[in-house]
Amino acid sequence: MSRPIFRWAAVAQIALVIFTGCHPTQPFFVARDESLANYISESIAIEYADVTVESLPEATQSAVPLGPDQLPEDFVELSLEDCVIMALQNTKILRVINGSNTNSGSVAATLLSAAPGALPSIYDPALLATTASPQPLAVDGQGNRIAPRGLIRSNQVGGVEDALSEFDAQFSALFGYNTTDRPRNVGQGNVFNPQLFKGVDSNARASLSKRMATGTVATARFTTVYSRNNIPASGNVDDPTNPSSRNFGRAVPSDYTTALELQFTQPLLRGRGTLVNRIPVVLARINEDIEVHEFEANVRNLVKQVEHLYWDLYCGYRALETAKIAQSTALDLWRVAQARTKIGDTPPESEAQARALYHQFRAQVHASLYGSRVPGSDIGGIYGREQALREMIGWAATDGRLIRPSDEPSVARIQFDWYSIQAEALTRNTELRLHKWAIKQRELELVRAKNEILPQLDITSFYRWVGVGDRLATSERNGISFPDPGSSALEELTGGDFQEVGAQVELTPHAFGKRRALANIQNSQIALVKFQEELKEKENLLMHELSRSWREMDATYVAMKDHLDQWIANEDEIGIYRDKIENDVGQLNQLLDLLLRAEERRSRAQLLYYQAVCEYNKSMVNIHYLKGSLLDLNSIALEEGPWADKAYWDAEERAAERAGGIYFDYGYTRPGVVSRGPVPSGTITEGNRSVPGAANDAYTPDMPSEYLPTPAEEIEAAPQAEGINSLRDNTEPQPSRRGPTAALPGVRPASAEIITPSQASAPRYDWGRLGLASDDMSSVESRGEGQQPTSGRARQSIADAVWQSR
């Protein structure tokens, strides 16, 4: 191209820059979509995960919650044993809060807000046992296992299998190949170093290395090196025409060098001995033991919560019974007061007072049934307590039925031997046993920390067989030795003519001052002392808790007697006032006022009595909870689940291999004692049975014979009320109490085969006499003039199946 054309092109380019300026060029697309359909509208949005998990029928088939407008369709009677069995059978995720404070707040709300994977479950021990580090076993450039350095802590290891993997044999191999093609700064005609050098080099290595319990690292290594270049090969035979030909160049154009090497590295100070090297395995085993203890504690908390909720529900039914009796009595008094007011025998304020008392007891009936947030009322009521029990045993929140306790609480005097339960608590309490395992971990960490202060002094020895040849291998041995052409490297190696031996000592002390090693020792010592002091404090606090539960049990038993005496006295007082009213003795308005006050006191005393009975039974549960025998009390034992069939086959094979070997007692290599043996399970402990003769030692005050306990079948049945009470006739035989979830479609069948054991012949309250939907007196004024109101149900006895009414 000519120079003028270049000149005009430059001028045009300058003119374009001046007149158009600098701006980014906009790309042009033939098909342009203005909607930006290739981009999402938002970079962050809440979306549904593509996960499908089959829901439980208890969640998808839950019925309408019970309440004032939704009464239960039927009753289902459960014993305490039924509830405990179904709670265990329907439990894969343990519905408890970690720790002993399981009564505060809603368990369902707490577990619902927990992070994924944070809920306690039956899978936790297996999860910990199968936890492994994602880091592979480390090897150096020669294929030797590298021993872990630094302090080993309990939280750095997972399961036992992960810790044992440190002693697995590790295979490693490499293959390298490279070529050389470059000029060199040498003169022409250099036989040993050609000016234009060309070569091919290759190497291969295969090694098997294992770390042993004594700290020894044993390695077997096989290497092969190949070399070929353009250095002239003069051969290895005499040339009569050139006697000095063998003194220049290579004997053969290429060569193979093979070596079989055995190497042992033994630490002499740091990391020596089975005790130190097995510490990670023992720590991993202790981690599994701690997880099993936590699982036991969660199961124990579940059983405790089930028992507490069972007696709470029983107390709720008794509270409803008490309120119904008081409501019925107040209704009768209201009728009397209204009738006397109409004829002028009683002032109007007496009728208003009786009416107010009736509405007060009716509010108590509603609160005890539906629950109420009004201060002083039962928050959950029967419906709320029953749902809490359903939550623990794994049932649906509502299935149209209402659970009724079939067991009666114990009112017998239970006597524990303080020194026996004290020793049992200090030995078997789950939290103390767990803490002792943590102390054992700190002791092993201290041993490891003291070993880490030693310098790293290793001795390494190796023995090597070497073979060199023109070829790597031949089909058969030819007897040709290197450097003659046709020699075989593997033949030379297996011939054993060339052997090498070597040894080295490596010393790597700590940095001057040993600050890190000494700090680790001090940290381990302080942590050990802290954990020991924590154990002492926990034992002291355990005695405080056990003493408090002991005192509460005795106090609630005394309260039972006091409230029972008050209840009986109130009944006598009410009877006197009723007799006076019937015989027209005294001022009627004063008698009605006194009778109303006595009825209120009697209702309060009856409720307090049943609350004391329930708290008495719960306090006994708390004692077993603290002394570690709650699972034994309920005949619950924790066992490991079955393994896969192949695991049993492998175990039999390993047992046969070990039985065919020669036993060798290492003696000094035996690690120190870590465990004292298994914790007994399912045994009879202090408090499982009452003191001999105390089974019938219920409190019996000095009272007329009509107040003595009477069997339920001797009590005259009260008339049945219309509504839910008419669903079960007392004359019909009792159905067998199987797992009630068997009647529900899609409910987990784990509880379908539960059959309640035969009940004792002790007096039992007839729950069918409790009318939940009886016709209360809505309004006296709504009835016709002169028409006497009719009671929705007959007045119940003082305590059906416990104390006979007069």
Side-chain angles (χ1 to χ4, degrees):
M1 187 177 291
S2 61
R3 187 182 299 273
I5 295 178
F6 277 110
R7 184 182 298 112
W8 286 110
V11 172
Q13 196 173 20
I14 294 173
L16 289 174
V17 172
I18 294 175
F19 290 105
T20 60
C22 297
H23 63 277
T25 303
Q26 297 295 330
F28 175 76
F29 300 96
V30 177
R32 183 178 180 88
D33 187 1
E34 301 293 342
S35 64
L36 300 178
N38 294 326
Y39 292 90
I40 60 175
S41 59
E42 298 176 355
S43 61
I44 299 178
I46 300 177
E47 300 179 356
Y48 288 100
D50 184 16
V51 177
T52 302
V53 178
E54 185 178 358
S55 301
L56 291 175
E58 285 84 352
T60 59
Q61 300 179 15
S62 180
V64 180
L66 301 179
D69 299 328
Q70 185 68 29
L71 295 177
E73 301 173 357
D74 196 1
F75 284 123
V76 53
E77 291 187 350
L78 293 180
S79 66
L80 179 58
E81 184 179 2
D82 290 335
C83 295
V84 172
I85 291 176
M86 281 183 285
L88 296 178
Q89 289 182 338
N90 290 338
T91 293
K92 291 184 179 179
I93 301 300
L94 297 169
R95 295 172 291 274
V96 294
I97 301 175
N98 289 330
S100 59
N101 187 18
T102 58
N103 293 325
S104 60
S106 172
V107 177
T110 303
L111 298 184
L112 185 61
S113 60
L119 301 182
S121 69
I122 63 175
Y123 308 105
D124 291 345
L127 282 175
L128 182 65
T130 54
T131 299
S133 173
Q135 299 296 330
L137 300 181
V139 294
D140 61 9
Q142 297 298 320
N144 301 312
R145 280 279 289 110
I146 300 176
R149 298 176 183 269
L151 186 62
I152 300 297
R153 295 188 180 274
S154 58
N155 58 1
Q156 294 175 341
V157 293
V160 173
E161 293 298 320
D162 177 67
L164 289 175
S165 66
E166 283 290 336
F167 303 101
D168 293 342
Q170 177 66 54
F171 175 80
S172 61
L174 65 86
F175 176 79
Y177 177 86
N178 66 285
T179 62
T180 304
D181 186 8
R182 66 183 64 180
R184 294 186 175 182
N185 187 17
V186 296
Q188 293 183 359
N190 191 328
V191 177
F192 300 102
N193 194 359
Q195 191 176 49
L196 298 177
F197 183 81
K198 294 183 179 181
V200 175
D201 296 288
S202 178
N203 66 301
R205 175 184 58 80
S207 60
L208 185 65
S209 182
K210 176 178 174 57
R211 178 169 169 256
M212 302 180 183
T214 57
T216 307
V217 176
T219 305
R221 185 183 306 110
F222 181 78
T223 60
T224 301
V225 178
Y226 171 75
S227 175
R228 183 185 182 90
N229 52 49
N230 62 345
I231 298 177
S234 57
N236 197 37
V237 294
D238 293 333
D239 186 359
T241 62
N242 187 9
S244 61
S245 62
R246 291 183 295 171
N247 298 329
F248 300 96
R250 299 163 60 92
V252 289
S254 63
D255 61 83
Y256 288 89
T257 301
T258 59
L260 177 61
E261 184 177 355
L262 299 179
Q263 177 178 324
F264 295 90
T265 301
Q266 174 62 47
L268 301 179
L269 293 177
R270 187 194 309 171
R272 181 183 67 85
T274 56
L275 174 62
V276 175
N277 289 278
R278 286 173 177 169
I279 283 179
V281 181
V282 180
L283 290 176
R285 174 62 191 184
I286 294 177
N287 276 346
E288 293 185 6
D289 290 330
I290 290 177
E291 188 64 35
V292 171
H293 277 72
E294 291 180 352
F295 174 71
E296 177 190 359
N298 288 326
V299 175
R300 175 205 59 184
N301 292 344
L302 177 65
V303 174
K304 173 192 174 185
Q305 194 72 354
V306 169
E307 293 205 29
H308 280 201
L309 292 175
Y310 186 86
W311 297 127
D312 286 342
L313 180 58
Y314 175 91
C315 189
Y317 272 102
R318 287 299 190 182
L320 177 61
E321 172 203 9
T322 301
K324 295 285 285 186
I325 294 175
Q327 180 190 15
S328 178
T329 303
L331 180 61
D332 294 338
L333 295 179
W334 183 11
R335 295 189 189 122
V336 174
Q338 185 189 36
R340 294 300 183 94
T341 301
K342 290 181 179 180
I343 63 177
D345 290 349
T346 304
E349 58 268 19
S350 297
E351 184 272 339
Q353 183 181 6
R355 175 158 42 93
L357 186 62
Y358 165 75
H359 288 295
Q360 174 185 341
F361 287 133
R362 187 175 67 171
Q364 291 182 7
V365 170
H366 293 163
S368 60
L369 185 58
Y370 313 129
S372 174
R373 287 286 180 179
V374 177
S377 302
D378 188 359
I379 296 178
I382 287 182
Y383 291 165
R385 298 184 185 207
E386 191 259 1
Q387 183 174 350
L389 181 60
R390 283 175 171 268
E391 178 183 318
M392 285 295 107
I393 64 178
W395 280 16
T398 311
D399 59 6
R401 301 173 301 173
L402 196 64
I403 297 176
R404 292 189 302 193
S406 62
D407 288 347
E408 288 289 332
S410 174
V411 294
R413 176 64 170 173
I414 303 298
Q415 288 286 355
F416 291 95
D417 181 69
W418 169 254
Y419 298 102
S420 297
I421 66 173
Q422 182 186 37
E424 189 176 359
L426 293 174
T427 304
R428 300 193 59 192
N429 181 267
T430 307
E431 282 75 18
L432 294 187
R433 286 189 277 119
L434 189 150
H435 197 90
K436 290 177 181 178
W437 278 118
I439 291 177
K440 178 58 67 175
Q441 283 185 322
R442 300 305 174 271
E443 292 177 352
L444 295 175
E445 290 176 4
L446 179 59
V447 173
R448 181 74 184 198
K450 290 182 177 179
N451 182 264
E452 288 294 322
I453 202 173
L454 299 176
Q456 189 75 39
L457 179 61
D458 299 341
I459 181 171
T460 302
S461 61
F462 66 88
Y463 198 90
R464 182 185 302 128
W465 289 266
V466 181
V468 182
D470 183 25
R471 301 175 181 178
L472 177 62
T474 57
S475 59
E476 58 183 10
R477 304 178 71 90
N478 54 24
I480 301 176
S481 301
F482 188 82
D484 294 334
S487 60
S488 172
L490 289 181
E491 184 177 343
E492 290 281 348
L493 177 67
T494 57
D497 295 333
F498 305 98
Q499 302 179 21
E500 300 173 354
V501 65
Q504 69 177 18
V505 178
E506 179 184 1
L507 175 64
T508 307
H510 284 283
F512 293 103
K514 305 178 182 178
R515 296 178 184 271
R516 181 171 298 177
L518 291 175
N520 284 332
I521 293 179
Q522 293 176 353
N523 181 270
S524 300
Q525 290 174 339
I526 294 173
L528 177 59
V529 173
K530 175 186 177 181
F531 275 57
Q532 291 173 345
E533 293 299 325
E534 285 181 348
L535 177 62
K536 296 177 183 178
E537 193 65 27
K538 282 187 176 181
E539 290 177 342
N540 185 31
L541 295 176
L542 175 62
M543 289 301 102
H544 281 279
E545 288 294 320
L546 191 61
S547 176
R548 184 178 296 108
S549 298
W550 173 289
R551 184 174 60 255
E552 289 176 354
M553 184 184 66
D554 288 344
T556 51
Y557 184 77
V558 172
M560 281 169 46
K561 298 190 296 183
D562 294 340
H563 294 309
L564 180 60
D565 292 336
Q566 180 184 358
W567 181 6
I568 296 174
N570 292 139
E571 278 293 327
D572 293 339
E573 181 183 9
I574 291 173
I576 295 174
Y577 291 147
R578 284 182 175 274
D579 293 340
K580 288 185 177 181
I581 293 176
E582 293 176 359
N583 298 326
D584 292 334
V585 179
Q587 294 294 329
L588 183 59
N589 57 342
Q590 295 180 357
L591 292 176
L592 285 177
D593 178 67
L594 295 175
L595 183 57
L596 292 174
R597 296 178 184 273
E599 284 289 348
E600 186 176 3
R601 291 192 297 268
R602 183 206 57 79
S603 176
R604 188 183 304 111
Q606 183 180 359
L607 178 59
L608 292 176
Y609 168 74
Y610 287 123
Q611 289 178 345
V613 170
C614 295
E615 292 299 324
Y616 178 66
N617 285 263
K618 290 165 63 175
S619 63
M620 288 188 289
V621 173
N622 292 338
I623 290 180
H624 285 282
Y625 169 87
L626 292 173
K627 70 188 186 72
S629 60
L630 183 58
L631 297 183
D632 294 338
L633 182 67
N634 291 274
S635 301
I636 298 173
L638 303 181
E639 297 180 355
E640 187 177 7
W643 289 69
D645 292 338
K646 187 179 184 303
Y648 294 102
W649 299 339
D650 293 343
E652 292 178 359
E653 182 179 356
R654 298 294 180 270
E657 292 176 356
R658 290 167 180 160
I662 300 176
Y663 175 74
F664 181 75
D665 187 5
Y666 291 92
Y668 66 91
T669 63
R670 180 179 183 272
V673 176
V674 175
S675 173
R676 294 185 178 181
V679 176
S681 178
T683 58
I684 298 298
T685 61
E686 172 64 28
N688 277 21
R689 299 191 184 97
S690 59
V691 177
N696 299 320
D697 191 20
Y699 176 64
T700 306
D702 296 333
M703 60 182 69
S705 58
E706 59 266 21
Y707 286 116
L708 294 179
T710 305
E713 58 269 16
E714 296 182 7
I715 299 178
E716 182 180 359
Q720 293 290 322
E722 296 295 332
I724 188 174
N725 216 24
S726 61
L727 291 175
R728 182 166 71 90
D729 190 358
N730 291 337
T731 60
E732 296 180 358
Q734 296 294 330
S736 60
R737 289 181 290 274
R738 292 181 177 269
T741 54
L744 292 178
V747 176
R748 284 171 282 177
S751 60
E753 298 301 325
I754 298 174
I755 300 178
T756 307
S758 59
Q759 303 295 322
S761 59
R764 191 170 69 86
Y765 178 70
D766 185 6
W767 293 110
R769 302 177 59 181
L770 192 59
L772 299 182
S774 60
D775 296 329
D776 294 332
M777 177 180 178
S778 58
S779 175
V780 176
E781 288 78 4
S782 63
R783 304 184 184 274
E785 181 69 22
Q787 182 181 359
Q788 293 294 332
T790 57
S791 174
R793 61 188 298 275
R795 182 176 182 271
Q796 289 187 342
S797 59
I798 298 177
D800 299 303
V802 180
W803 309 111
Q804 185 180 7
S805 176
R806 293 194 300 175

